[in-house]
Amino acid sequence: MVSRHWLYFGGFVITGILIVGVSLMGLLDGLSVLSGSVSYSEEFVLLAMLGEAAEWVVVGLVLGLFAVIFFTAAVVSVLRNASLPRDDRLISLVGWLERKYPLLRHFDVAQKVEPTTEDRQQQLKEQYVEGEISEEEFEREMTRLMDDTSRDKRSRSKTGASVEIEDQSK
């Protein structure tokens, strides 16, 4: 089965091709004013050409709108399904972008790029194996990660319990 973002991209390509065709037809229709027997002054030639091709301009604008919609849908679809690397620097950049542009919060990119505890543990192990950190630092950081994980679980369970109590009272 074809994925959704390829369908959106296909719609974008097809509307782009249609825009080119409509533009050529409008150009030909507008140039037909020059071959007519009616003589126009220099100022009115452009208006006459635009008047002759008005319907093509409207169709081109509508197709342009559809092309923008298809392109936006394709980009959003790709971003929602993208496998993004998990990195602390990337999470700070995404956090800044989400604060600056609140609309981006709807895509949950920050949660997708934030490193998990397992990612952080793996990174610590790699640093220890490569000799970048000492054994004491490794153990201290692993303990800190485990403490952070247990605190997060406890805080989540407390909020979950309060939600359950509120639901039971209704």
mmCIF file of all heavy atoms in Angstrom, residues 53-83:
data_model
loop_
_atom_site.group_PDB
_atom_site.id
_atom_site.type_symbol
_atom_site.label_atom_id
_atom_site.label_comp_id
_atom_site.label_asym_id
_atom_site.label_seq_id
_atom_site.Cartn_x
_atom_site.Cartn_y
_atom_site.Cartn_z
ATOM 1 N N ALA A 53 -7.563 36.436 -20.717
ATOM 2 C CA ALA A 53 -7.078 35.244 -20.024
ATOM 3 C C ALA A 53 -7.552 35.187 -18.577
ATOM 4 O O ALA A 53 -7.003 34.409 -17.773
ATOM 5 C CB ALA A 53 -5.545 35.204 -20.071
ATOM 6 N N ALA A 54 -8.556 35.953 -18.205
ATOM 7 C CA ALA A 54 -8.999 36.047 -16.805
ATOM 8 C C ALA A 54 -9.405 34.700 -16.222
ATOM 9 O O ALA A 54 -9.056 34.364 -15.085
ATOM 10 C CB ALA A 54 -10.141 37.041 -16.690
ATOM 11 N N GLU A 55 -10.140 33.915 -17.007
ATOM 12 C CA GLU A 55 -10.576 32.611 -16.467
ATOM 13 C C GLU A 55 -9.393 31.681 -16.223
ATOM 14 O O GLU A 55 -9.399 30.889 -15.281
ATOM 15 C CB GLU A 55 -11.608 31.941 -17.387
ATOM 16 C CG GLU A 55 -11.105 31.569 -18.759
ATOM 17 C CD GLU A 55 -11.233 32.681 -19.783
ATOM 18 O OE1 GLU A 55 -11.682 33.778 -19.450
ATOM 19 O OE2 GLU A 55 -10.873 32.426 -20.943
ATOM 20 N N TRP A 56 -8.353 31.803 -17.050
ATOM 21 C CA TRP A 56 -7.164 30.969 -16.855
ATOM 22 C C TRP A 56 -6.388 31.402 -15.603
ATOM 23 O O TRP A 56 -5.810 30.580 -14.902
ATOM 24 C CB TRP A 56 -6.257 31.011 -18.076
ATOM 25 C CG TRP A 56 -6.891 30.417 -19.289
ATOM 26 C CD1 TRP A 56 -7.315 31.081 -20.393
ATOM 27 C CD2 TRP A 56 -7.188 29.043 -19.513
ATOM 28 N NE1 TRP A 56 -7.872 30.202 -21.296
ATOM 29 C CE2 TRP A 56 -7.800 28.936 -20.769
ATOM 30 C CE3 TRP A 56 -7.009 27.883 -18.761
ATOM 31 C CZ2 TRP A 56 -8.227 27.734 -21.303
ATOM 32 C CZ3 TRP A 56 -7.440 26.677 -19.295
ATOM 33 C CH2 TRP A 56 -8.036 26.601 -20.547
ATOM 34 N N VAL A 57 -6.398 32.699 -15.353
ATOM 35 C CA VAL A 57 -5.737 33.211 -14.146
ATOM 36 C C VAL A 57 -6.440 32.684 -12.899
ATOM 37 O O VAL A 57 -5.796 32.238 -11.942
ATOM 38 C CB VAL A 57 -5.705 34.759 -14.156
ATOM 39 C CG1 VAL A 57 -5.217 35.308 -12.827
ATOM 40 C CG2 VAL A 57 -4.836 35.259 -15.293
ATOM 41 N N VAL A 58 -7.765 32.697 -12.912
ATOM 42 C CA VAL A 58 -8.529 32.204 -11.759
ATOM 43 C C VAL A 58 -8.278 30.707 -11.553
ATOM 44 O O VAL A 58 -8.033 30.251 -10.427
ATOM 45 C CB VAL A 58 -10.040 32.493 -11.936
ATOM 46 C CG1 VAL A 58 -10.862 31.790 -10.867
ATOM 47 C CG2 VAL A 58 -10.290 33.987 -11.914
ATOM 48 N N VAL A 59 -8.309 29.941 -12.633
ATOM 49 C CA VAL A 59 -8.051 28.498 -12.525
ATOM 50 C C VAL A 59 -6.629 28.249 -12.018
ATOM 51 O O VAL A 59 -6.402 27.379 -11.179
ATOM 52 C CB VAL A 59 -8.295 27.792 -13.885
ATOM 53 C CG1 VAL A 59 -7.830 26.353 -13.854
ATOM 54 C CG2 VAL A 59 -9.774 27.854 -14.246
ATOM 55 N N GLY A 60 -5.683 29.039 -12.499
ATOM 56 C CA GLY A 60 -4.300 28.897 -12.048
ATOM 57 C C GLY A 60 -4.148 29.195 -10.566
ATOM 58 O O GLY A 60 -3.414 28.511 -9.853
ATOM 59 N N LEU A 61 -4.840 30.221 -10.076
ATOM 60 C CA LEU A 61 -4.791 30.547 -8.647
ATOM 61 C C LEU A 61 -5.410 29.447 -7.794
ATOM 62 O O LEU A 61 -4.887 29.097 -6.725
ATOM 63 C CB LEU A 61 -5.486 31.881 -8.385
ATOM 64 C CG LEU A 61 -4.755 33.123 -8.900
ATOM 65 C CD1 LEU A 61 -5.617 34.362 -8.711
ATOM 66 C CD2 LEU A 61 -3.411 33.275 -8.211
ATOM 67 N N VAL A 62 -6.532 28.888 -8.247
ATOM 68 C CA VAL A 62 -7.170 27.790 -7.500
ATOM 69 C C VAL A 62 -6.256 26.571 -7.474
ATOM 70 O O VAL A 62 -6.066 25.932 -6.427
ATOM 71 C CB VAL A 62 -8.551 27.449 -8.104
ATOM 72 C CG1 VAL A 62 -9.106 26.163 -7.525
ATOM 73 C CG2 VAL A 62 -9.519 28.602 -7.887
ATOM 74 N N LEU A 63 -5.657 26.247 -8.626
ATOM 75 C CA LEU A 63 -4.721 25.112 -8.655
ATOM 76 C C LEU A 63 -3.489 25.388 -7.789
ATOM 77 O O LEU A 63 -2.964 24.471 -7.150
ATOM 78 C CB LEU A 63 -4.296 24.817 -10.097
ATOM 79 C CG LEU A 63 -5.320 24.097 -10.960
ATOM 80 C CD1 LEU A 63 -4.831 24.021 -12.401
ATOM 81 C CD2 LEU A 63 -5.609 22.713 -10.416
ATOM 82 N N GLY A 64 -3.047 26.638 -7.753
ATOM 83 C CA GLY A 64 -1.929 27.007 -6.883
ATOM 84 C C GLY A 64 -2.268 26.782 -5.422
ATOM 85 O O GLY A 64 -1.435 26.299 -4.642
ATOM 86 N N LEU A 65 -3.489 27.111 -5.037
ATOM 87 C CA LEU A 65 -3.937 26.868 -3.663
ATOM 88 C C LEU A 65 -3.928 25.371 -3.351
ATOM 89 O O LEU A 65 -3.462 24.949 -2.293
ATOM 90 C CB LEU A 65 -5.335 27.458 -3.454
ATOM 91 C CG LEU A 65 -5.952 27.227 -2.080
ATOM 92 C CD1 LEU A 65 -5.172 27.988 -1.020
ATOM 93 C CD2 LEU A 65 -7.407 27.657 -2.082
ATOM 94 N N PHE A 66 -4.436 24.569 -4.282
ATOM 95 C CA PHE A 66 -4.411 23.121 -4.084
ATOM 96 C C PHE A 66 -2.980 22.592 -3.998
ATOM 97 O O PHE A 66 -2.691 21.698 -3.199
ATOM 98 C CB PHE A 66 -5.171 22.394 -5.200
ATOM 99 C CG PHE A 66 -6.654 22.377 -5.012
ATOM 100 C CD1 PHE A 66 -7.485 22.973 -5.951
ATOM 101 C CD2 PHE A 66 -7.229 21.773 -3.917
ATOM 102 C CE1 PHE A 66 -8.860 22.972 -5.789
ATOM 103 C CE2 PHE A 66 -8.592 21.758 -3.734
ATOM 104 C CZ PHE A 66 -9.412 22.360 -4.672
ATOM 105 N N ALA A 67 -2.086 23.145 -4.813
ATOM 106 C CA ALA A 67 -0.685 22.712 -4.767
ATOM 107 C C ALA A 67 -0.068 23.012 -3.406
ATOM 108 O O ALA A 67 0.643 22.182 -2.837
ATOM 109 C CB ALA A 67 0.115 23.385 -5.887
ATOM 110 N N VAL A 68 -0.356 24.187 -2.860
ATOM 111 C CA VAL A 68 0.161 24.541 -1.536
ATOM 112 C C VAL A 68 -0.405 23.611 -0.477
ATOM 113 O O VAL A 68 0.315 23.154 0.424
ATOM 114 C CB VAL A 68 -0.158 26.025 -1.218
ATOM 115 C CG1 VAL A 68 0.086 26.344 0.243
ATOM 116 C CG2 VAL A 68 0.656 26.941 -2.102
ATOM 117 N N ILE A 69 -1.684 23.292 -0.562
ATOM 118 C CA ILE A 69 -2.312 22.385 0.408
ATOM 119 C C ILE A 69 -1.686 20.994 0.313
ATOM 120 O O ILE A 69 -1.355 20.382 1.339
ATOM 121 C CB ILE A 69 -3.838 22.340 0.198
ATOM 122 C CG1 ILE A 69 -4.463 23.670 0.599
ATOM 123 C CG2 ILE A 69 -4.463 21.184 0.975
ATOM 124 C CD1 ILE A 69 -5.922 23.815 0.222
ATOM 125 N N PHE A 70 -1.519 20.473 -0.894
ATOM 126 C CA PHE A 70 -0.905 19.155 -1.062
ATOM 127 C C PHE A 70 0.536 19.138 -0.546
ATOM 128 O O PHE A 70 0.965 18.194 0.112
ATOM 129 C CB PHE A 70 -0.924 18.705 -2.526
ATOM 130 C CG PHE A 70 -2.217 18.091 -2.961
ATOM 131 C CD1 PHE A 70 -2.880 18.559 -4.090
ATOM 132 C CD2 PHE A 70 -2.778 17.032 -2.269
ATOM 133 C CE1 PHE A 70 -4.075 17.986 -4.503
ATOM 134 C CE2 PHE A 70 -3.965 16.447 -2.673
ATOM 135 C CZ PHE A 70 -4.616 16.933 -3.791
ATOM 136 N N PHE A 71 1.296 20.192 -0.837
ATOM 137 C CA PHE A 71 2.684 20.247 -0.388
ATOM 138 C C PHE A 71 2.759 20.302 1.138
ATOM 139 O O PHE A 71 3.557 19.598 1.762
ATOM 140 C CB PHE A 71 3.392 21.461 -0.999
ATOM 141 C CG PHE A 71 4.841 21.542 -0.630
ATOM 142 C CD1 PHE A 71 5.755 20.684 -1.206
ATOM 143 C CD2 PHE A 71 5.285 22.475 0.294
ATOM 144 C CE1 PHE A 71 7.093 20.741 -0.857
ATOM 145 C CE2 PHE A 71 6.607 22.543 0.642
ATOM 146 C CZ PHE A 71 7.526 21.676 0.074
ATOM 147 N N THR A 72 1.918 21.123 1.743
ATOM 148 C CA THR A 72 1.891 21.219 3.205
ATOM 149 C C THR A 72 1.507 19.886 3.828
ATOM 150 O O THR A 72 2.118 19.446 4.812
ATOM 151 C CB THR A 72 0.915 22.317 3.647
ATOM 152 O OG1 THR A 72 1.284 23.545 3.021
ATOM 153 C CG2 THR A 72 0.906 22.488 5.146
ATOM 154 N N ALA A 73 0.506 19.224 3.260
ATOM 155 C CA ALA A 73 0.087 17.926 3.784
ATOM 156 C C ALA A 73 1.203 16.895 3.650
ATOM 157 O O ALA A 73 1.409 16.080 4.556
ATOM 158 C CB ALA A 73 -1.169 17.448 3.048
ATOM 159 N N ALA A 74 1.945 16.929 2.551
ATOM 160 C CA ALA A 74 3.059 15.991 2.373
ATOM 161 C C ALA A 74 4.150 16.240 3.403
ATOM 162 O O ALA A 74 4.675 15.292 4.011
ATOM 163 C CB ALA A 74 3.622 16.102 0.960
ATOM 164 N N VAL A 75 4.493 17.498 3.638
ATOM 165 C CA VAL A 75 5.539 17.820 4.619
ATOM 166 C C VAL A 75 5.102 17.412 6.019
ATOM 167 O O VAL A 75 5.875 16.795 6.769
ATOM 168 C CB VAL A 75 5.885 19.327 4.555
ATOM 169 C CG1 VAL A 75 6.745 19.745 5.732
ATOM 170 C CG2 VAL A 75 6.578 19.652 3.249
ATOM 171 N N VAL A 76 3.869 17.717 6.392
ATOM 172 C CA VAL A 76 3.371 17.341 7.719
ATOM 173 C C VAL A 76 3.348 15.827 7.867
ATOM 174 O O VAL A 76 3.739 15.284 8.904
ATOM 175 C CB VAL A 76 1.973 17.952 7.960
ATOM 176 C CG1 VAL A 76 1.304 17.346 9.174
ATOM 177 C CG2 VAL A 76 2.078 19.457 8.109
ATOM 178 N N SER A 77 2.926 15.108 6.845
ATOM 179 C CA SER A 77 2.890 13.651 6.901
ATOM 180 C C SER A 77 4.282 13.057 7.074
ATOM 181 O O SER A 77 4.487 12.136 7.864
ATOM 182 C CB SER A 77 2.235 13.100 5.634
ATOM 183 O OG SER A 77 2.240 11.710 5.632
ATOM 184 N N VAL A 78 5.245 13.598 6.356
ATOM 185 C CA VAL A 78 6.625 13.104 6.483
ATOM 186 C C VAL A 78 7.171 13.400 7.872
ATOM 187 O O VAL A 78 7.809 12.549 8.496
ATOM 188 C CB VAL A 78 7.529 13.724 5.389
ATOM 189 C CG1 VAL A 78 8.991 13.495 5.685
ATOM 190 C CG2 VAL A 78 7.175 13.138 4.029
ATOM 191 N N LEU A 79 6.907 14.608 8.388
ATOM 192 C CA LEU A 79 7.410 14.970 9.710
ATOM 193 C C LEU A 79 6.787 14.134 10.817
ATOM 194 O O LEU A 79 7.453 13.788 11.792
ATOM 195 C CB LEU A 79 7.164 16.453 9.987
ATOM 196 C CG LEU A 79 8.054 17.423 9.233
ATOM 197 C CD1 LEU A 79 7.660 18.858 9.550
ATOM 198 C CD2 LEU A 79 9.516 17.194 9.554
ATOM 199 N N ARG A 80 5.523 13.792 10.665
ATOM 200 C CA ARG A 80 4.873 12.976 11.698
ATOM 201 C C ARG A 80 5.417 11.549 11.729
ATOM 202 O O ARG A 80 5.438 10.912 12.770
ATOM 203 C CB ARG A 80 3.368 12.934 11.470
ATOM 204 C CG ARG A 80 2.703 14.197 11.920
ATOM 205 C CD ARG A 80 1.228 14.046 11.976
ATOM 206 N NE ARG A 80 0.651 15.247 12.565
ATOM 207 C CZ ARG A 80 -0.620 15.509 12.569
ATOM 208 N NH1 ARG A 80 -1.468 14.669 12.030
ATOM 209 N NH2 ARG A 80 -1.062 16.609 13.113
ATOM 210 N N ASN A 81 5.853 11.040 10.586
ATOM 211 C CA ASN A 81 6.335 9.666 10.519
ATOM 212 C C ASN A 81 7.850 9.557 10.539
ATOM 213 O O ASN A 81 8.387 8.457 10.480
ATOM 214 C CB ASN A 81 5.797 8.984 9.259
ATOM 215 C CG ASN A 81 4.294 8.855 9.296
ATOM 216 O OD1 ASN A 81 3.713 8.689 10.341
ATOM 217 N ND2 ASN A 81 3.670 8.964 8.139
ATOM 218 N N ALA A 82 8.535 10.695 10.600
ATOM 219 C CA ALA A 82 9.997 10.672 10.516
ATOM 220 C C ALA A 82 10.613 10.079 11.766
ATOM 221 O O ALA A 82 10.123 10.254 12.876
ATOM 222 C CB ALA A 82 10.522 12.085 10.306
ATOM 223 N N SER A 83 11.680 9.373 11.564
ATOM 224 C CA SER A 83 12.467 8.846 12.669
ATOM 225 C C SER A 83 13.601 9.835 12.913
ATOM 226 O O SER A 83 14.544 9.915 12.133
ATOM 227 C CB SER A 83 13.014 7.464 12.310
ATOM 228 O OG SER A 83 13.883 7.028 13.315
#
